[in-house]
Amino acid sequence: MNYPISMIPYANMAPYAAQGPPAVCYFVNCTPRNSIAALKEGALWAAAVPVGGLKALERYVSPVGTYGIGAFRKVMSVLFFSDRPFEAFAGALKVRLTDESASSVRLLYLLLGYANGFNPMPILARPGEPANGELVIGDTALLWHHEWERTGGVKGFRYMTDLAAQWHRHCQLPFVFARWVVRNDAPDAVRHSLSAWLDDFRRRETELILRSVPGVADRLHLPEEYVHRYLTVIRRCLTSEDLEGQKRFLEAWDELVASQPATWFQNEG
């Protein structure tokens, strides 16, 4: 019997995908936010889930080692594009948000508050309405980042803020976007296989990055050297410093929820 585990279809996961699934498992494509509901429902046995969803999953899953998706200073694929500098983005401005991962939305909310104060905060743009800024993640962000580097603007936005870099400027710590977790009731075969698979990944990461570059570059129509730069920016084998950054974010999030009225930052994932 084979068991389904999530494989987020973003370039940052390509080195994991290049390894092939763990023994007794198979990959199911799933966005970061959808992986949370799928784990709760038992539709998946394991996934790299957004850190913002860990609290909602604490009854159901446990981390597998110190594996995930993190970034030290920049991530290149969790980006805020705007018509003015980040430090001037305050008040009755309009933002458009990704619906793929609320962890990134929460990070944006925190960082805007740290930079400009939490009252008032920007408001959500309605569908089809012009926005002063837009949060983009994953492969779309990677494409926009490349265009911005080439031309100095994208989609009418002149300014780009890498949220991992902004987080590091604020607290001098890396940011962890996702952690590999496994359901607590997973069969032993799944748990042992996933753990061995991730340990093998640690040993082979450099090789697996190189193997995945051509496919990502071809799929996204991006230069191979750019894709390689991106894939080596991502931290998949996390350190104690990464985990401290994760802890700091989750603590800051809990403090914010306790002190702020419900608004666009309060979404699971």
Side-chain angles (χ1 to χ4, degrees):
M1 181 176 181
N2 286 340
Y3 301 88
I5 68 171
S6 174
M7 177 50 60
I8 298 169
Y10 292 166
N12 60 19
M13 296 290 286
Y16 286 124
Q19 192 179 10
V24 311
C25 299
Y26 65 93
F27 291 142
V28 175
N29 280 351
C30 200
T31 65
R33 178 180 286 177
N34 290 343
S35 66
I36 296 169
L39 281 165
K40 276 186 175 180
E41 295 162 4
L44 293 173
W45 290 102
V49 300
V51 295
L54 291 177
K55 188 169 185 178
L57 286 169
E58 60 186 354
R59 292 173 43 215
Y60 304 92
V61 306
S62 300
V64 184
T66 54
Y67 298 101
I69 296 291
F72 181 59
R73 281 194 173 89
K74 60 182 178 179
V75 68
M76 296 172 61
S77 59
V78 180
L79 307 172
F80 185 64
F81 294 89
S82 56
D83 61 7
R84 65 202 69 199
F86 195 82
E87 291 72 19
F89 205 93
L93 302 177
K94 294 183 179 178
V95 295
R96 181 166 292 109
L97 304 173
T98 179
D99 62 0
E100 296 179 37
S101 172
S103 292
S104 300
V105 172
R106 294 172 178 183
L107 176 59
L108 174 64
Y109 196 94
L110 277 171
L111 293 174
L112 283 172
Y114 293 153
N116 305 306
F118 287 98
N119 187 24
M121 289 293 283
I123 59 177
L124 292 185
R126 294 188 295 270
E129 184 180 28
N132 302 102
E134 184 163 355
L135 174 63
V136 188
I137 72 168
D139 291 357
T140 300
L142 194 58
L143 290 165
W144 285 29
H145 182 280
H146 184 249
E147 178 66 14
W148 188 89
E149 281 195 335
R150 288 197 315 111
T151 67
V154 62
K155 304 293 183 180
F157 297 123
R158 291 177 53 206
Y159 297 92
M160 180 185 73
T161 303
D162 186 309
L163 295 195
Q166 188 73 13
W167 171 259
H168 189 273
R169 280 192 287 272
H170 176 73
C171 64
Q172 292 76 55
L173 287 169
F175 192 84
V176 176
F177 290 93
R179 291 288 302 275
W180 274 101
V181 300
V182 62
R183 279 186 58 95
N184 294 328
D185 60 350
D188 287 345
V190 173
R191 301 175 71 85
H192 296 155
S193 178
L194 182 63
S195 181
W197 182 74
L198 288 167
D199 288 343
D200 186 52
F201 179 87
R202 183 187 295 273
R203 292 187 290 270
R204 300 174 57 200
E205 183 175 13
T206 300
E207 167 208 338
L208 292 166
I209 287 173
L210 290 173
R211 185 190 298 181
S212 63
V213 164
V216 172
D218 184 62
R219 178 172 63 83
L220 297 179
H221 306 290
L222 290 170
E224 289 194 7
E225 60 271 21
Y226 175 80
V227 171
H228 184 264
R229 171 158 62 102
Y230 170 63
L231 293 179
T232 54
V233 160
I234 302 298
R235 292 154 77 97
R236 300 173 188 84
C237 304
L238 305 177
T239 67
S240 59
E241 189 179 28
D242 293 308
L243 299 184
E244 179 59 29
Q246 175 185 315
K247 179 174 179 285
R248 180 77 62 87
F249 170 67
L250 294 176
E251 289 174 347
W253 177 248
D254 286 343
E255 291 172 6
L256 180 66
V257 170
S259 64
Q260 292 286 303
T263 183
W264 51 261
F265 67 82
Q266 289 186 318
N267 293 300
E268 186 174 283

